[in-house]
Amino acid sequence: MSIQLSIRGMAKRYKTGEGVSDINLDVRKGELITLLGPSGCGKTTVLRSIGGFLKPDAGDILIEDRSVIALPPEKRPTSMVFQSYNLWPHMSVYDNLAFGLQIRKKPKAEIRESIADVLRLVRLPGAEKKSPAQLSGGQQQRVALARSLLLKPAVLLLDEPFSALDAKLRHEMREELREIQSQTGLTMVFVTHDQEEALSLSDRIVVMNHGRIEQIAAPQNIYNEPESLYVAQFIGKMNFLEGVVEADVIRVGELAVPNAKRLAGPAAVVAVRPEDVNLDSGIKEGLPGAVKQIMVLGHYAEVSVNLGKHGIIRSFQSKDAAQALSLGQHVRVSFAKVTSFPKE
Amino acid sequence: MSIQLSIRGMAKRYKTGEGVSDINLDVRKGELITLLGPSGCGKTTVLRSIGGFLKPDAGDILIEDRSVIALPPEKRPTSMVFQSYNLWPHMSVYDNLAFGLQIRKKPKAEIRESIADVLRLVRLPGAEKKSPAQLSGGQQQRVALARSLLLKPAVLLLDEPFSALDAKLRHEMREELREIQSQTGLTMVFVTHDQEEALSLSDRIVVMNHGRIEQIAAPQNIYNEPESLYVAQFIGKMNFLEGVVEADVIRVGELAVPNAKRLAGPAAVVAVRPEDVNLDSGIKEGLPGAVKQIMVLGHYAEVSVNLGKHGIIRSFQSKDAAQALSLGQHVRVSFAKVTSFPKE
Amino acid sequence: MLWYFRGIGKRKIVEFVLLAAFILFFAGPLLNLVVLAFSGQWAYPDLLPNQWSLRWWRFVFQQDDVVQSIGLSFLIASIVTVLSIVICIPAAYAFARLRFPFKRMFLFSFLLTHAFPKMGLYVSIAVLFYKLGLMDTLLGVILIHMINVLMFMTWIPTASFRSVHAAQEESARDVGASPFRVFRSITLPMAMPGILVASIFTFLNSLDEAQGTFLVGMPNYKTMPIIMYSIITDFPSSAGAVFSIILTAPTILLLLLSQRFVSADVMSSGFQVK
Amino acid sequence: GSANTNASSGGSASAPAPASSSASPSKADTVKFDFYFSGSQNVKDLWDTLIPMFEDQNPNVKVNAVYIPSGTDNQTYNKVLAAKKAGKGSGGIDLVEDGIVTVTQGQEDDVWEKLSAGSIANLANVDAQTMTDAGNMAIPYRSSAVILAYNSEKVATPPKTMDELLAWIKANPERFAYNDPSTGGAGSSFVQTVLYKDLPADAIHSSDPAIMEQWKTGFDELKDLGKYVYGEGIYPKKNQGTLDLLNSGEVDMIPAWSDMVLQQLAADQLPASTKMVQMTPGFNGGPTYLMVNKQSEKKDAVYQFLNYVLSPEAQTVIVDKMNGFPGIEVSHLSQEVQDKFKGVIEGFRTFNLGDLGTEINKRWQSDVAAQ
Amino acid sequence: MIKGRKEAVLGLIMVSPAFLLLLIIVVLPIVQTFVVSLHSEDGGYDLSRYAFLFTDRLMRMNIVFTLKVTVISSLLVLLVSYAMALFMSFSSGKLVDLIRKTYMIPLFIPGVIATYGLINLLGNHGWLSRMLLPLGIALPRLIFDEKGIVIANLWFNIPFTTMLLTSALAGIPASVIESAKDIGAGRLSVFLRVIFPLSYKTFLVALTFVFMSVIGSFTAPYLLGPNSPQMLGVSMQQVFGIFREQEQAAAMAVFTFLLCSVLGYFYIRSMAKDEAARM
Ligand SMILES: Nc1ncnc2c1ncn2[C@@H]1O[C@H](COP(=O)(O)OP(=O)(O)OP(=O)(O)O)[C@@H](O)[C@H]1O
Ligand SMILES: Nc1ncnc2c1ncn2[C@@H]1O[C@H](COP(=O)(O)OP(=O)(O)OP(=O)(O)O)[C@@H](O)[C@H]1O
Ligand SMILES: [Mg+2]
Ligand SMILES: [Mg+2]
């Protein structure tokens, strides 16, 4: 598929010294790319630059192979759902939604119909006459989403569009978004802080850190093969243990794991996802530890095990398995799968 | 422990007809209560009434056994973290934080110090001089949180205080909140749309629906024993199947589950959590179905199985178990645990 | 008495005192005018006139210029208001939002219109108007009215525009509105309270202007204040009182009407979002 | 009220069509010129009477009288001056009626035409001294007197001389008021009369600055008087200001223009108990002048009109309507009128101090008002 | 920076119609007046007319008096107007509605007439003293006194200033005030720390307008004020109209303007400041 949006060597520095730099990203047509990263890492900055609300200090932005860097926001074929809704307080919901269509000189009947449609879609049927001040936080957010969706832009920019929605609604919205995308081939750049959302929704995830891109990859790859300690730390839960490099293996106490990346040593960090941590009470192998805490989190449980000098390790267990354990019980810990990184 | 906050028969109706009614809630000292419910159900309305920003139409609100219903916000011993942060745009972060302390006539040196402390706590050390406009969404939210924390109110009201934070930071903040609570015995009313947060953080959860309270209970109880179909639907994922009441059992196709609640029938709804759905390829028992979709979500996978006339059922499986399955494969479905509700 | 006040609460008392002060101070002179307008004889120290009369009402309405001049005044005031909006609002917007050279100097220059006493300027202005052929023309009268309000129409809207959030403008740009459209549909309505204030002021100022009108417009454009001046200087205050009531009534009517149409209270409550 | 029977003065009010006389002479031989005058209603009534009378006799001249409400009257002069500076001729103003200040100012700015009996025959009837005082550039077509107005219910025997008046003021503190001299002629007349009380008789026609030395005693007197006048040193603004005080009963005696008192008595605006008295020597009166714009292109017509205004016929009307003194010498009027002035005219004096008038106001402002 | 230049051109174009009007009709005559004010008595050019303002005892008194009245009036006007604006913006009820509907009416009364109304009300034998007479209260002297001028200034300026401030308060989101109340700020703190800073710019505009209209006022001080010292406006009229000293009057006008400019400067500076902060 063709490249719909291309960001080349973009940089933007605020007066305070913060900002983003060295942003390179190609988004294919119909792709949904997620920007993921800690608060303040520059996600909104990238999005606003694409939308035309910030003038980057360097670099170029191309949409459908045309540079848009010199275009004002209204001339760019993008539409943005802002992090802080930005509804117009002096207009009703209807007018908020109709404004963009009126500019595009759509006939009145069509406008009315598409507004009714999109309000149904965001689960706010009949809210046309209300004013933004009469809406709850999540309702405002959905109106803002509806406003952008109505415009069918070439690139849709979404800055945490579901942050105020409950899980159920968020799921429904995600599915609606997917649906719209499959119908219209919409290209989306999506900012979220919700990993699960990023993992389940995105075609590819861009992990950012301190104004830079750390890794761009498909969700599974990001999860399974984080390229850096940072990404490993950030995506999903991860246990980190110190190990000693011994040629082909890295040794963590009595346990040896393969040195797949051929790290130089002498020290390395071994990373294990909680679900890859096995707990056995019978076998002799593995690191010895004692169950410290059991926290049942919905359909699974998080079991923390004290490994003595190796610190505390967290393991996900099914509810049943967890309930078979008791606090203080001695267990042996082994790893189904590990990744390793050089020690920083 | 003593009751810190008590809401009695509160009702508030907006001009549009929406609002809340019949709100009764006792919060003990040092307790963290979560309001959970879909967007627009009235969570913010309840919180704003406690804070004094809305005048309820009926009912009373007591804090430490004194009615505060007639007091203006500034006289109430509450502090609120607003859903939309509400920082003062013309003040620096320092001034935003210092304002409340200055009103309480704290000495300058003490103010400076506690601001430095609280900024470290919300992971924004050294941000004193910045203005709100120079902060990212998540940073603003953290400043708003810091502002309320500084005041050590009798009741802290938090309206989705972590909605703009990434998982890592959110975890850290939660733990800091817990830490502060254990140190100061802070009483908190917490609004969130994040179930996991509610389940892991709260002492008790208040589930709201359409302006009314559906259930108040500890997280495990809410999860395991939802009182209504609505709560079951809203908390966690849940599969619903139609069943036929036959005295002691409810029959779903070839499967019979116990009629624990002694429902009258003829029809009933059987609810099963995905993690309680077992999939077996060998045994004869259980409902026959075919694997429709396998979605790996971090450390676990969601497997959808088509049950024919019983619809589609979702099951959580460990990653390994899921990978052993293939699309279209025939499986037998059985339930480890079910709840049942009368059919509406 | 005291128990009564205690009974109705502190807030009510405060409100009552406020109202009393408000009425005494603002309505006092006005009520006085109304009473005066209907008074015949009013000797000291009587609280009310000892003789009521409609004599001055008859008198004012017999002045054949009065009705015509009221019409003319309202016409001129309307034109002045519209024209100054057209000319000044773009300037105010530029001051509020755009960067251009000498901006501060331009903004400052509008201070001149008001801060500089016009007494000494009239001859120079008249010379200029003669040269430009504006003397004794409607355009001339309108222009001379406009210079009185240039400052109000730039400074006040500038302050209003600046209080409109950039974010709201941004989202309008985002849906594809041109800067002009953003201005018309977003910025302008949100800055409306301030602009309304400035416009009302412009209108009233124009209704009240006499010196400049006389200089430029006499004898062809005899506006209301010119007639008024002669009435209040040559006749007892009763005539002036009648005149000001006649003069005020239509404007107040207009005000009340517009309050109904300009949605309840643009002026007072503003637009507020949680 | 509305004695607006004359079409030429009433109709031009707000018609946007330029009614400027130069543009549209209706008949080839008819000249229409513009005459700006200001003042109270009685002035307006006067011209509304005189102009038709003139036009009946002079069908070739039409007078477009423009009534300038007080309060905006300064602008007439500004307009004349501006038109001249802009090189636009008369600016549509051919004849102006105003007080001595405007006459003097116009002399400096050279906007008034010099007048002579050659073009206006009846000018011969006017006192030559008065014409010279005005530099022959303005015609004092009428005069009013300043008198002492008092409340006869409170004051049984009004003072007859200046010294008696001063004594009365001191004997009745806060019962007398005179207005700020720079805001109205009545007060100015009082001040000047006090200043020249003990000076040689002909000093009132001298504009020689040397005389300023001799004002000192007069000003000391006025300063001292401050304690005894209304409000212990309050001088109301404008002639009307003191009349209001008399009307409301706050004072019992004031210097005032005779014509204003008479008119307001007639209109019930002053209590019927109000009486007037002239002192000896009298307060100075003041003429009102007519000036011809030097830029005017219709001087002949204007002269024709002025000639009529100075005719005994017109002057008789003026005396009747204005309750004032004629602009021409009384001897030219009918016996009946002469009889009417018998006993009054003797006390009537005109001061012609030229620029000294302004000097007095300045000095009053700093010595008396700001003591 | 292409964009910057375009913006500059656009800005200049938008300002130019108003500015041209201003330039021709106001600025040029003012420049002329300024030149006139430099004429000395003996025909040369110097600053003697300005020196006179400070050397002449009377003038000095007038200037001090004018400043005193202006400062007192401006302070009172702003105080009352802010109070009224706040009251109207943040209270509700019948009373507020009534005030909201009527407070503008004084704006519609021509200045001269209102001044007469005030004289009739406050004068020695005025309505107020008639009302208080039975109660045995004697009013202090209000008319022909600086108190009279101040009262008139309040009457004339409060409605407009209130209107202006109300419009500014309308722009302050309720949420910002709510959060201030939440942390326990009382009315005064909320006002001083939140409302005032957020309406500061309009406040400066209002202050400038009040200051200008008071300092240059004529009708009210002329009819209500003492004979001496005079407000500059009255004195200027006297110097120009009665004493016919055009040059001196011009110098007074320029001086008045300079006084007003000081306030104008604050407004423009505050704008420039947050402009710098915005980048
Ligand atoms: N206008 C500004 N002036 C100065 N610094 C700014 C400005 N806007 C943002 N920043 C800083 O730039 C950094 C990146 O901000 P940005 O808004 O892009 O973060 P973000 O990734 O969207 O964070 P969040 O998830 O909290 O919204 C932050 O450290 C922020 O403080
Ligand atoms: N000022 C108002 N006027 C009229 N209706 C309002 C107003 N504020 C809220 N509502 C309505 O009341 C209901 C409850 O609103 P509330 O803000 O309490 O919801 P919420 O539970 O906080 O939702 P969210 O999670 O989306 O923030 C909503 O349907 C909303 O539309
Ligand atoms: Mg952001
Ligand atoms: Mg909410």
Side-chain angles (χ1 to χ4, degrees), chain D residues 105 182 235 237 250 362, chain E residues 124 222 227-228 238 244-245:
Chain D
Q105 179 71 15
S182 60
Y235 309 93
K237 308 288 167 60
E250 289 177 74
K362 277 193 197 170
Chain E
N124 249 357
Y222 180 72
N227 300 83
S228 180
Q238 198 183 44
R244 294 284 177 189
E245 290 176 7

Side-chain angles (χ1 to χ4, degrees), chain D residues 6 8 34 66 68 86 131 150 182 249 281 291 355 360:
Chain D
N6 189 312
S8 64
D34 295 276
V66 180
I68 310 308
M131 280 307 287
Y150 65 98
S182 60
M291 289 79 77
D355 282 345
I360 291 176

Side-chain angles (χ1 to χ4, degrees), chain A residues 44 83 159, chain B residues 137:
Chain A
T44 299
Q83 194 167 5
D159 200 349

Side-chain angles (χ1 to χ4, degrees), chain A residues 130 133-139, chain B residues 14 16 18 39-45 83 160, chain C residues 274:
Chain A
K130 294 200 177 172
Q134 293 177 329
L135 298 179
S136 77
Q139 289 165 342
Chain B
Y14 294 110
T16 49
E18 270 106 1
S39 172
C41 72
K43 305 180 293 291
T44 299
T45 304
Q83 193 167 7
E160 313 211 356
Chain C
K274 266 183 280 173

